Amino acid sequence: MKPKTKPSERFGSLLSGRVWLVAAMLGIFSAGLASCSTESLVTDTSFSLYYSGISEICPGTNININPTWHGTKPVDFAIVDIRFNARPAVASCFSVDSESGVFSINGSDDLPTGVWTVGIECRSDGRRYVYEDAISINMMKPVPDGIFLSPSELTVKLSDITGQGAELPCAEITTDGNRHVQIKKYLISNVYRNGDLHNECKEWFELNPSTGVFSIVPQNPAFEAGVYTFDFRLTTYAAGSEDEEGLFRKALRLDVTSAPVGISYNPSAATVEIGYSGKSVRPEIKGSLEGLVYTLKSVSPDNSIGITVDDATGVIKFPETYDVSNGDKYTVSITAENKFGAMDFDDVFTFNVTDFIFPLSLLEYDDIDEVITGVSFEIPVKDIIGDEVTFAFDNLPESLAGLAIDPATGTISCAKGIELPVGRHTVTVLARNVKSECRSDVSINVVANPYMFTYVIWGNNLGLTPAEEYGNQFRISEGDPDLVIPVADSDIPDGVPVKYTFSNKTTGSSYQMGASVAKDGTITIVAQTKGKAAVRTYFGVITVTVGGESEAAVTRNFPLFVDQAGYRDGYSVEYTPFAFRVNPKTGGTSVAPVVKKEDGAAFSGFTMDYRRNFYFYKLGGPEQHKEGKLAADTFLYSPWYKYYSALKKPVNTGANSPMSYYGDANGERGYLGLCAAYVNPGDLKLVVNADKFVDDYGYGDGVVIGTMQYNVNNNNPVTSGAEIFPIIIWLDPDYTR
């Protein structure tokens, strides 16, 4: 997701789920910051908005989706666009809370099935952000009648899941056998725990995509007790009809039971003054909540003063009494019991008695004259008079929501990466104890990052404009002088340390890109001298770090594409551009290549086709997308699976049919609509079909390379001939041109 920008202002996204704020006219290559990445291909990381969780529901489902964000707390949420199957639509059952950003679906009984996307706008730090596809919901039909779980309810002890050696129960999705319905694919869609959506728990379970057997991942110490329910997404086939996806909603109930196994009070102690009452916080409990009751097990050294515990909440209460002395300690042990058992928890909370708690009369902090936005810092309490104090912000401005305060020590902090707005700000800290309260203002002067930059431009030598449309693409041939390419433009500040490094990403060949980058950013590309075998396309990444070892240093990555042009067995094939940028959601068609014969003679009958050595190199997208050569565990398996499933055949990763016009030696022509990509025989344009480079986690974001073969004998299929790599498929799920 990213803010809406004009095509001329954005170069594309190489990492999904990120924000673009790109300077126009500069041809910037970048992408927004993702939540789990240490390096980014970014221009601005000050704000990102995410709506995680639900993706597939049935009409009639009511649900709330909470937003998360990176940066300053957003406000003024609103729906700006609703689309159904990519067309403008209206849906009164969709709403978003203007303050919290919670997106709600209520009363969707009559909503048509299909893909709904919702655009959301918000304001953060005085800037307006628009997310065109903030929320995507696949409103699905229920699965056909005759599908059920066997069994539909499971019960298992938590100790059996977290321990070793226990046999865990399974369930199987099956049919009643009377309706001629076949299930071709099984996926977990949503996981709920105790009624709330918890899709982050999906990895705790497995659902065999071929057999429909549901199981629990064993020996998982993170597992928690509770009642889990599951939605399953099934692909079904009925005789005489097409494949159809449906949602098997709330199909399975899994009750993970446990006696109380853990209890924690945070903080685990409190100081009370003689003659004053006191109490603990509410505890966190691990175990089943059904029938949960707390009782006081013991108090050490004794409980003559009458310490009690609330049986429903677990809050421990110290009475108002004078029958205690300064320095006394009362350590409390608790028994927690539910319908599955009881457990004693010793020494979980301590009351420390004092004869006097000083009321608050002074609270001071040092002002901060300069802190770089995005850099971590801490502001401890300078001076305080008062005992047993808790701290909190008092009416913290929304623009400073990235600040945190330790409630026990009063230390104000800001984590690295949180972009506070530039300028001088005042925050107020409220300190309290049982007798009084005190406030203190703290001045924080936030300055701009002196190392911030958003773009570095090298251009291309193909005559392609604008530069932001085509990336850094350079063509060189054997015997050519080295290409020496200085930085054409950047917004790197003057006088700051800059480091350029290069890493080659093309694998599967003994030939590597002959490229290097100098200290000043100048790229040198050296032509390969290993003959026709080196004639191919390559790509790598240039990493630019500004700021040296400073915590404020900024790192950006920029791609480099190189075409080692030349003749393979007497012919050359040149695409311009040779890195074909295409949105996998919509697909597209490349330009036609220029084909030449080495001796200049006329020719006819040129045919070309993808053959083997298919690789995917990840530039962004879901973390589950594994890069590498086509195999069952890499992202490229998905288009192969889609192709062969549609033909009701076993997946054959050794075949080229899913990326071939001609198919294998048996000739599977006629299935071009199922192909992920193919070379059109008439004009040799590369066609990438929509919705093929996608799996259950999302669309591909990266580079696809495969070996092509050509011949001039009109052999169909192309099963022999020179092997070439003339074009790179550059998948960009945010590309709009």
Side-chain angles (χ1 to χ4, degrees), residues 101 144 155 211 285 370 372 387 405 521 540:
T155 300
T211 66
I285 187 79
E370 182 176 293
I372 297 173
D387 293 336
I405 188 168

Side-chain angles (χ1 to χ4, degrees), residues 323-566:
D323 295 333
V324 290
S325 300
N326 182 40
D328 287 349
K329 289 187 177 183
Y330 292 86
T331 301
V332 181
S333 298
I334 294 293
T335 298
E337 183 176 6
N338 60 22
K339 63 179 294 185
F340 303 104
M343 182 68 72
D344 295 334
F345 300 98
D346 293 333
D347 304 336
V348 295
F349 197 83
T350 300
F351 290 105
N352 299 301
V353 179
T354 184
D355 57 359
F356 186 71
I357 292 177
F358 277 92
L360 276 165
S361 59
L362 175 67
L363 176 65
E364 288 185 355
Y365 288 84
D366 282 328
D367 294 332
I368 301 299
D369 292 331
E370 182 176 293
V371 62
I372 297 173
T373 186
V375 174
S376 65
F377 64 87
E378 290 187 346
I379 311 174
V381 174
K382 178 183 180 183
D383 201 1
I384 186 170
I385 298 176
D387 293 336
E388 300 305 311
V389 181
T390 59
F391 301 85
F393 289 123
D394 188 19
N395 295 318
L396 184 70
E398 291 179 347
S399 61
L400 302 178
L403 292 175
I405 188 168
D406 188 309
T409 67
T411 297
I412 300 168
S413 62
C414 186
K416 181 178 180 180
I418 293 179
E419 302 277 348
L420 296 178
V422 173
R424 185 169 290 279
H425 310 279
T426 299
V427 299
T428 301
V429 176
L430 172 62
R432 285 192 176 107
N433 66 10
V434 294
K435 293 184 174 179
S436 58
E437 63 183 37
C438 219
R439 287 175 172 81
S440 177
D441 290 339
V442 186
S443 177
I444 305 173
N445 184 32
V446 181
V447 300
N449 189 335
Y451 307 124
M452 180 57 65
F453 75 107
T454 59
Y455 67 93
V456 179
I457 297 174
W458 287 272
N460 63 74
N461 68 345
L462 304 177
L464 298 171
T465 58
E468 69 267 24
E469 183 74 17
Y470 300 104
N472 302 309
Q473 302 191 41
F474 299 94
R475 179 169 284 141
I476 192 170
S477 299
E478 185 175 357
D480 286 352
D482 296 349
L483 292 178
V484 180
I485 309 151
V487 173
D489 194 11
S490 81
D491 62 348
I492 297 174
D494 294 333
V496 297
V498 185
K499 182 180 180 180
Y500 297 86
T501 58
F502 171 76
S503 58
N504 180 73
K505 297 298 181 181
T506 308
T507 58
S509 169
S510 59
Y511 307 109
Q512 302 296 303
M513 183 193 301
S516 61
V517 60
K519 291 182 178 180
D520 64 354
T522 298
I523 299 170
T524 299
I525 299 175
V526 180
Q528 292 278 3
T529 58
K530 298 181 180 181
K532 64 181 183 180
V535 173
R536 58 170 298 165
T537 52
Y538 304 83
F539 91 100
V541 171
I542 300 171
T543 300
V544 184
T545 299
V546 177
E549 299 301 319
S550 168
E551 188 182 1
V554 179
T555 296
R556 314 283 187 217
N557 291 331
F558 303 89
L560 176 64
F561 300 101
V562 171
D563 177 23
Q564 171 84 26

